[in-house]
Amino acid sequence: MNYARLAWRDLRRNPLRVGLTVLAGAVGVMAFVFLRTVVDLFYSGAAAAQVDRLVVRNKVAITQPLPLSYFPRIAALPGVTAITHQSWFGGTISESQRDFFPSLAIDPTSFMKVYSEYTLPPEQLSAFQADPCGALVGRKLAERYGWKEGRRLTLKSQIYPGEWTLNIRGVYDGTRPGTDTTALVFGYRCLNERLPESWRDQVGLYSVRVDDPARSAQVAAAIDGMFANSPYATLTESERAFQLGFVAMSSAILTAVKLVSNVILAIILLVIGNTIAMGVRERTRDIATLRAMGFRPRHVVLFVLAEAGAIGVAAGVLGMLAAPPLLEGFMRAVESQFGPMAESVTRARTLVLAGLAALGMALLAAVGPTVRALRLPVAEGLRKVT
């Protein structure tokens, strides 16, 4: 009888206890995946950032605007291959927060040159660029409300007073997995022409594409240096740094989530460790008998580790299989309350990490019972009554 068969027979001594341990471990794996996925969602914007894109914003605060006149001056700098601008609109279709979605006023002629990960049919793009109040909606947003090309929308803004009627001219998709298709964008001209004189010709930020990512720092310094002494000084940073700035605002929440995910690993360790310890204690005489028959200590170690590993693998696999559909259901429930969420919520590396963590915790949990079994003298073990 080899080690695997011995371990399998030991596991079958108390199938109910082993089954409950596997189930508890699987729940822990699912909780770990869930919390890590929440963390990944916060970092999804930074993960999708492009290395050749820079973001230019007001140095004082992101809520402060920049003059539209900066556009040609930045575009003329060496190393800049494309530039566009965008302004946060904060539009909703009703007074309910459930109907909130990202909405931006953009430059229709340059936006797609900078954000090439968005795609839509050429005729829709042409119609959008020709209509001053034309709008594009992401695929997920369009599916949420059943919007199609030609539909007229009336939005209310949290920033700009009044009602704003837009014409949907197209639905855009993402060229890469994970591309955000939950936003609405419309022509900046439609917004700018209705604003008071003091608000006109101002934008939220500029997005710049550079010819060589290695020169990003040089281009960023040139942009900031050009406007250093102006009333609207700029802060230029990589798109990833810009996204991480938003993540930093929630650092306390993320730290708490990461801490709880580590606590869950400790719980898995305790649950599996308790089962292994009980199993080893019940087999004290068996282990002593094996050692009396000539089995070496390393054989005992292999028995216990094989048993713990089997429990860890079973818990990890069960948790990895159950986590994606549960998370998908949770995300659909969140979407119904707070709007569309990003695609591909569960990452493969998170599942693999959870599975390896379950196996690692199971093997670690077996260390204590194994050491105690090896330290027990053979004669004393044979006299042990369980």
Side-chain angles (χ1 to χ4, degrees):
M1 184 177 294
N2 55 32
Y3 302 142
R5 292 186 63 184
L6 278 174
W8 174 244
R9 294 192 62 171
D10 288 338
L11 288 172
R12 292 172 59 190
R13 285 171 177 252
N14 195 329
L16 177 60
R17 184 174 64 199
V18 172
L20 291 176
T21 302
V22 170
L23 187 59
V27 172
V29 170
M30 287 189 290
F32 180 82
V33 172
F34 175 82
L35 294 175
R36 286 291 174 175
T37 301
V38 170
V39 175
D40 289 341
L41 281 175
F42 275 87
Y43 286 94
S44 60
Q50 299 297 299
V51 295
D52 62 345
R53 263 198 315 244
L54 301 176
V55 176
V56 185
R57 64 178 177 88
N58 193 301
K59 188 176 182 179
V60 176
I62 192 173
T63 55
Q64 298 300 310
L66 290 173
L68 184 60
S69 59
Y70 283 8
F71 189 101
R73 299 177 65 184
I74 297 175
L77 286 174
V80 175
T81 59
I83 178 175
T84 189
H85 61 78
Q86 51 188 288
S87 302
W88 180 258
F89 183 69
T92 61
I93 58 174
S94 73
E95 299 295 336
S96 173
Q97 287 299 315
R98 293 183 180 182
D99 291 326
F100 172 81
F101 50 82
S103 54
L104 302 160
I106 64 166
D107 178 25
T109 58
S110 60
F111 186 76
M112 291 296 180
K113 297 176 182 176
V114 176
Y115 291 93
S116 55
E117 63 266 38
Y118 299 127
T119 182
L120 74 162
E123 61 275 14
Q124 293 186 6
L125 179 59
S126 299
F128 168 61
Q129 293 174 338
D131 185 353
C133 288
L136 297 177
V137 294
R139 178 66 61 187
K140 291 197 69 175
L141 184 62
E143 292 176 349
R144 179 188 178 192
Y145 291 108
W147 292 342
K148 295 181 180 178
E149 182 183 0
R151 170 75 180 270
R152 288 174 66 84
L153 294 176
T154 299
L155 301 183
K156 292 183 178 179
S157 173
Q158 301 170 340
I159 304 172
Y160 306 100
E163 295 185 344
W164 302 79
T165 301
L166 307 173
N167 308 308
I168 296 180
R169 296 304 183 186
V171 178
Y172 68 84
D173 293 286
T175 56
R176 299 194 304 268
T179 302
D180 181 20
T181 59
T182 64
L184 177 148
V185 297
F186 66 97
Y188 173 75
R189 178 181 166 188
C190 184
L191 171 69
N192 194 46
E193 290 182 348
R194 283 186 53 184
L195 292 177
E197 187 68 30
S198 59
W199 287 23
R200 288 184 184 175
D201 297 332
Q202 295 179 340
V203 300
L205 54 85
Y206 291 99
S207 296
V208 176
R209 175 154 274 175
V210 298
D211 56 355
D212 183 3
R215 295 182 58 198
S216 295
Q218 181 181 348
V219 173
I223 295 173
D224 292 341
M226 186 163 53
F227 304 113
N229 297 318
S230 73
Y232 298 91
T234 60
L235 174 62
T236 305
E237 54 194 347
S238 67
E239 189 176 47
R240 177 177 173 78
F242 177 75
Q243 295 291 344
L244 289 177
F246 285 101
V247 176
M249 298 178 187
S250 306
S251 59
I253 297 175
L254 290 175
T255 301
V257 172
K258 292 177 181 177
L259 179 62
V260 172
S261 67
N262 292 329
V263 170
I264 289 174
L265 291 181
I267 293 174
I268 296 175
L269 175 68
L270 294 174
V271 170
I272 297 179
N274 181 62
T275 299
I276 298 298
M278 293 175 66
V280 171
R281 186 167 60 250
E282 291 174 353
R283 298 197 306 275
T284 301
R285 292 188 62 184
D286 298 342
I287 292 174
T289 301
L290 290 175
R291 293 179 61 188
M293 293 171 61
F295 282 79
R296 297 184 177 278
R298 67 172 182 273
H299 297 143
V300 177
V301 172
L302 288 175
F303 296 153
V304 180
L305 290 182
E307 183 178 339
I311 294 176
V313 169
V317 171
L318 185 59
M320 292 166 64
L321 292 176
L326 289 177
L327 269 169
E328 191 67 22
F330 173 77
M331 296 303 294
R332 298 290 80 78
V334 172
E335 284 185 347
S336 65
Q337 298 294 323
F338 300 101
M341 304 293 288
E343 297 278 4
S344 304
V345 294
T346 308
R347 296 182 177 179
R349 65 178 176 83
T350 302
L351 293 175
V352 173
L353 177 62
L356 292 177
L359 176 60
M361 291 297 103
L363 296 177
L364 185 62
V367 172
T370 304
V371 171
R372 285 195 299 273
L374 294 177
R375 287 181 174 176
L376 187 67
V378 175
E380 184 177 343
L382 290 174
R383 291 196 298 269
K384 196 80 173 179
V385 177
T386 60

